[in-house]
Amino acid sequence: MTSPPAVARRALRLAHKFAISTALIGTLGVSLLAFAAAAPAALAQDAPAAASQPWMDASLDAAARTDLVLKQMTQAEKLQLVFGYFSTNANWMTGGTKLFTFNKDGMPDSAGYVPGIPRLGIPAQSQTDAGVGVATQRSPTPRERTALPSGIATAATWNPSVAYAGGAMIGSEARLSGFNVQLAGGMDLLREARNGRNFEYSGEDPWLAGVITGNEIKGIQSNHIISTMKHYALNAQETNRFTIDVKIADQAARQSDLLAFQFANEIGKPGSVMCAYNRVNGYYSCENAWLLNDVLKTDWGFKGYVMSDWGATHSTVAAANNGLDQESGWAFDKSAYFAGALQEAINNGYVSEARLDDMARRILWAMFDNGLFEHPLDGDQSAKIDRVANGKVTQTDAEEAIVLLKNNGLLPVAKSAKSILIVGAHADVGVLSGGGSSQVYPVGGLAAPDEFPAGFPGPKVFYPSSPMKALQARTKASVTYLDGKDVAATAAAAAKADLVIVFGEQWTGESIDAPDLNLPLGQDAVISAVAKANPKTVVVLETGGPVVMPWLNDVGAVLEAWYPGTSGGEAIARVLTGEVNPSGHLPATFPASLAQTPRPVLDGDPKLDDNAHPHTDYDIEGATVGYKWFDQKGLTPLFPFGHGLSYTTFSLSGLSAKASGKGISATFTVKNTGKLAGADVAQVYVSPVTAAGWEAPKRLGAFAKVSLKPGKSGKSTVTVDPRLLATYNSASKTWTIAAGDYKVILATSATTPVSEVTVHLDAQTLDVNGQ
Ligand code: BGC
């Protein structure tokens, strides 16, 4: 097996992941030598068609079919399945010199490719990023696809059917684009408000994140493609993401991030789990026996396969024996660990044949289970994408995701307004999206020039869906735009307008954390100046996650629109005008300052190189993540988890609760007491009356989003999973519910309880899966 020179490999990975330009590689003095990965030996492709083979009988279950085909496979064929290639001609990261053989059978400019085995009818695995739609690696000719709002936005809908519909839509575009594996299902809990990838995830609560992501995965897989769930696990910051070592106790992890993954796994049944870049308790995630073998495969009974993140494999023997099933994205790793080296390790007895069988079995099982054999890909069929229908799916998601944070009556926009000034964030032409490997490119190209200085995770993409044009189409007022760069002139224009709508943006992207929680580029000063000139100022935020709002008291209304996707401009305008009544609620606490958070200063100095091993201590907060931390410490956030206003009003009443099954069921009535149709998110928190060793005073136990016409009411019954009433016991691997009284609190946010009842629970011990 050949191997690229270490320096060149390192430069290659750094260039991609740290946005180092190719010119800089030159200055590093790296000599880029041609290198071809040790591809497994050529396999017979000319054998008779496999259609009549017994494993092609779709009436058999996935496990039986897997066993049948596995028996026919040679060692070389099994090895072929466990080794994936980056499917992009990565000249952009090598300065034009080829460092690896780009597998031309994969879809161009995509995340990955694992060749099929035609003699056995095993299809190729064609992999695309990511959670908001079909992405393209940076390319002059990106595929143009529908983008959902960011993951955190979908979590803000608190609507599992919206998450499912979004997943089903992007999965259908993936299939029609020639992909049968979608690298979606991002869901690391929001422990770090500055995390550059918070936009890809589902907020801070295990139940909400698990339900939303699980439903998205289910939707994707309804297209007979495999979805991942990622990045497993505890990948909550980008700073030094390749080496940071996260310390956390088993119990705390099982009650927080791992619980979120456990719920999503049960709901979505992803065919694959992507292990993360970071280390956990001293071991890289992709060779972490506790995470992969113990928790995921043994305790949860996960039958699918673990694929590495791109560049997250660090060994052959340790990775194989500790639970990694497929090395991804060659040539991101330092070595082709699962190619020739794995064969050698097996032949020398360091990895058993049985383990190779297990790897192949898991991959094949996921492929059978998701119908990849029965539903072969047919190359690029993107002309068949129903862009109008898909546009409606993303627009609905965006509309349900927008959170009305504050409103002193300025919204919906008054019909009497004659002049509206729109300021900032290119709101005249488009809406923002998040950067990195998940980047989906829109039909029509970038609405505004790329403002990111160089390389990955750029470009900074504004989708051509203009909030301003969509608003103008709905109002008789004259609508004008200023970019806000001349603060004095903007304030002067604001003073003359009937209404000012300032757009504030925070672009975030993979590989970079936000430096702080302020809006960048001096936007806070612009908003303050505008609000002082005209109190009739509405702020629309397009951010990756929580931000602070030093101008909050001076403005009349605030909408959090997140990254709202390719129909985001339309969605924002419809919410501004009241055509859509806002119903989003925060899936994460907005702190008043970084000083309130567990880590005011981020661990892991980005200036350290790959050989340094920075640490971060998640036992500081343990499972006390987000609102639980704020509750525990008695801190008042800027906006609490679960918060979201409406243009109508709701009442919550009639709460009753009882022990039911192993958990609790709660029933209540939601009434629309206002004059407009709308949807409310009723939240049920649970809390032990006497101390039961919980990580926090209360936990979200269940929620229901209820749509109601004015004057109408509806009864909802929700159930609380027993694990949310228990503590995890690491020694016995059981969940224990302590006997006693538990408060069941009906609330409109984590800090606004409406009513509460008490339920007595008997002592219970449940297995590791809450059964
Ligand atoms: C990201 C993954 C992504 C992969 C393939 C990595 O840099 O962390 O989320 O799926 O690249 O593009």
Side-chain angles (χ1 to χ4, degrees):
M1 185 190 109
T2 12
S3 164
V7 191
R9 276 188 267 108
R10 184 170 153 66
L12 179 155
R13 289 181 302 112
L14 289 175
H16 178 55
K17 298 299 179 184
F18 288 128
I20 295 175
S21 70
T22 47
L24 183 55
I25 298 180
T27 65
L28 290 172
V30 172
S31 123
L32 299 173
L33 302 180
F35 169 71
L43 300 160
Q45 308 280 307
D46 53 357
S52 58
Q53 299 289 356
W55 56 86
M56 300 306 272
D57 177 356
S59 69
L60 299 175
D61 74 12
R65 297 174 72 185
T66 302
D67 282 344
L68 286 168
V69 72
L70 202 55
K71 281 191 199 122
Q72 303 300 322
M73 291 175 75
T74 63
Q75 188 197 57
E77 286 169 336
K78 291 172 197 165
L79 283 164
Q80 178 176 321
L81 282 189
V82 305
F83 187 76
Y85 296 82
F86 189 39
S87 189
T88 295
N89 197 1
N91 285 343
W92 49 264
M93 67 176 179
T94 63
T97 308
K98 267 177 171 279
L99 279 178
F100 71 102
T101 308
F102 164 59
N103 194 318
K104 297 226 167 29
D105 293 335
M107 298 306 284
D109 305 315
S110 71
Y113 183 72
V114 182
I117 304 172
R119 91 172 176 94
L120 299 171
I122 298 173
Q125 297 159 61
S126 176
Q127 302 164 326
T128 180
D129 284 300
V132 300
V134 180
T136 307
Q137 297 287 329
R138 200 182 174 108
S139 149
T141 53
R143 47 181 72 74
E144 300 184 339
R145 297 293 181 266
T146 312
L148 290 170
S150 54
I152 195 169
T154 299
T157 68
W158 292 62
N159 189 337
S161 4
V162 164
Y164 178 89
M169 183 275 282
I170 62 171
S172 76
E173 291 205 0
R175 167 160 283 284
L176 290 173
S177 304
F179 299 104
N180 54 11
V181 180
Q182 190 149 18
L183 312 176
M187 58 174 310
D188 297 274
L189 287 193
L190 198 152
R191 286 174 180 270
E192 174 47 64
R194 286 159 291 195
N195 180 3
R197 300 188 86 171
N198 280 338
F199 76 92
E200 293 191 56
Y201 303 150
S202 293
E204 70 191 22
D205 179 74
W207 179 244
L208 179 62
V211 168
I212 294 294
T213 318
N215 275 282
E216 188 204 348
I217 291 168
K218 207 196 249 182
I220 291 171
Q221 293 195 157
S222 69
N223 294 284
H224 304 296
I225 68 178
I226 290 170
S227 174
T228 57
M229 169 167 90
K230 71 185 188 185
H231 306 93
Y232 185 75
L234 296 142
N235 188 187
Q237 70 174 58
E238 291 299 284
T239 301
N240 239 323
R241 63 176 173 156
F242 300 121
T243 47
I244 190 98
D245 186 11
V246 171
K247 178 167 142 322
I248 191 162
D250 177 76
Q251 182 196 40
R254 301 257 194 176
Q255 292 182 188
S256 58
D257 288 65
L258 296 185
L259 184 56
F261 277 106
Q262 192 177 16
F263 286 139
N265 180 44
E266 289 164 11
I267 295 167
K269 303 187 173 50
S272 183
V273 167
M274 185 190 291
C275 48
Y277 285 129
N278 54 290
R279 296 185 297 160
V280 180
N281 295 329
Y283 299 94
Y284 282 109
S285 298
C286 292
E287 55 187 56
N288 192 310
W290 168 63
L291 282 178
L292 307 181
N293 281 345
D294 299 352
V295 176
L296 180 69
K297 292 180 177 177
T298 305
D299 295 344
W300 302 349
F302 176 71
K303 291 208 202 92
Y305 63 103
V306 176
M307 70 164 79
S308 64
D309 199 346
W310 274 228
T313 308
H314 296 274
S315 62
T316 299
V317 176
N321 288 337
N322 293 340
L324 180 67
D325 300 304
Q326 188 178 66
E327 178 179 7
S328 306
W330 175 253
F332 276 98
D333 292 316
K334 284 188 179 165
S335 184
Y337 297 109
F338 275 22
L342 181 59
Q343 183 177 20
E344 227 173 283
I346 293 165
N347 292 345
N348 290 323
Y350 292 102
V351 175
S352 66
E353 278 288 352
R355 176 65 186 114
L356 178 64
D357 282 356
D358 179 47
M359 294 174 178
R361 177 180 290 112
R362 288 171 170 281
I363 295 164
L364 290 164
W365 178 85
M367 293 171 78
F368 279 121
D369 193 50
N370 286 289
L372 269 59
F373 284 73
E374 280 68 60
H375 302 272
L377 296 170
D378 196 10
D380 182 1
Q381 297 289 315
S382 55
K384 293 186 188 155
I385 291 175
D386 186 342
R387 295 186 187 267
V388 175
N390 293 358
K392 286 192 184 129
V393 173
T394 181
Q395 189 176 322
T396 302
D397 192 339
E399 288 169 357
E400 286 212 28
I402 292 173
V403 185
L404 180 60
L405 291 172
K406 170 178 177 174
N407 190 13
N408 66 6
L410 273 192
L411 292 177
V413 170
K415 296 224 164 32
S416 57
K418 291 205 173 59
S419 61
I420 299 175
L421 174 66
I422 293 190
V423 179
H426 298 294
D428 54 335
V429 291
V431 289
L432 188 58
S433 60
S437 59
S438 67
Q439 184 71 60
V440 175
Y441 290 82
V443 173
L446 277 56
D450 176 16
E451 292 162 345
F452 185 61
F456 193 84
K460 181 175 177 183
V461 175
F462 283 87
Y463 292 146
S465 174
S466 158
M468 177 167 163
K469 284 188 200 130
L471 182 64
Q472 182 67 84
R474 293 173 164 81
T475 172
K476 294 202 177 77
S478 84
V479 184
T480 49
Y481 176 79
L482 287 174
D483 64 16
K485 285 187 182 137
D486 182 337
V487 181
T490 309
K496 291 191 207 123
D498 287 342
L499 181 70
V500 189
I501 306 176
V502 195
F503 284 72
E505 57 97 341
Q506 178 211 35
W507 182 66
T508 58
E510 178 181 342
S511 79
I512 311 173
D513 290 324
D516 51 42
L517 298 184
N518 285 91
L519 294 179
L521 310 168
Q523 295 173 88
D524 285 330
V526 179
I527 298 174
S528 291
V530 165
K532 289 212 171 83
N534 188 342
K536 287 191 174 175
T537 292
V538 173
V539 177
V540 178
L541 294 170
E542 294 172 32
T543 69
V547 287
V548 292
M549 304 175 202
W551 31 260
L552 183 61
N553 291 334
D554 302 327
V555 304
V558 184
L559 282 179
E560 173 58 86
W562 317 103
Y563 304 146
T566 39
S567 298
E570 202 73 5
I572 290 171
R574 272 159 59 86
V575 170
L576 284 170
T577 57
E579 214 171 305
V580 167
N581 195 345
S583 65
H585 285 245
L586 293 180
T589 307
F590 276 41
S593 75
L594 278 173
Q596 293 184 324
T597 67
R599 266 167 297 281
V601 178
L602 258 177
D603 292 314
D605 182 344
K607 290 188 286 301
L608 296 174
D609 73 15
D610 268 3
N611 296 317
H613 285 162
H615 290 75
T616 192
D617 185 1
Y618 284 177
D619 281 328
I620 292 176
E621 76 275 29
T624 317
V625 178
Y627 63 89
K628 295 170 182 165
W629 172 264
F630 281 74
D631 271 0
Q632 184 84 297
K633 301 272 173 198
L635 297 164
T636 305
L638 185 63
F639 290 107
F641 174 82
H643 172 72
L645 305 172
S646 167
Y647 298 149
T648 188
T649 49
F650 297 97
S651 72
L652 296 176
S653 63
L655 174 66
S656 68
K658 58 175 199 271
S660 159
K662 295 183 162 74
I664 283 178
S665 80
T667 301
F668 50 85
T669 298
V670 185
K671 182 168 186 196
N672 183 340
T673 51
K675 295 195 172 64
L676 295 166
D680 196 20
V681 174
Q683 298 153 47
V684 172
Y685 294 87
V686 287
S687 168
V689 170
T690 47
W694 284 26
E695 73 281 3
K698 66 174 187 288
R699 299 170 179 160
L700 179 71
F703 60 89
K705 190 165 195 177
V706 188
S707 291
L708 292 165
K709 298 227 161 68
K712 296 287 179 209
S713 55
K715 213 177 206 187
S716 298
T717 296
V718 294
T719 54
V720 180
D721 186 282
R723 284 164 285 188
L724 296 170
L725 298 159
T727 49
Y728 184 76
N729 184 318
S730 297
S732 58
K733 293 198 174 189
T734 54
W735 293 88
T736 311
I737 299 180
D741 289 340
Y742 289 78
K743 287 191 248 177
V744 176
I745 305 158
L746 187 58
T748 56
S749 82
T751 60
T752 44
V754 174
S755 60
E756 92 182 34
V757 293
T758 301
V759 175
H760 181 83
L761 296 179
D762 295 334
Q764 276 188 81
T765 301
L766 309 156
D767 73 10
V768 70
N769 294 307
Q771 300 299 312

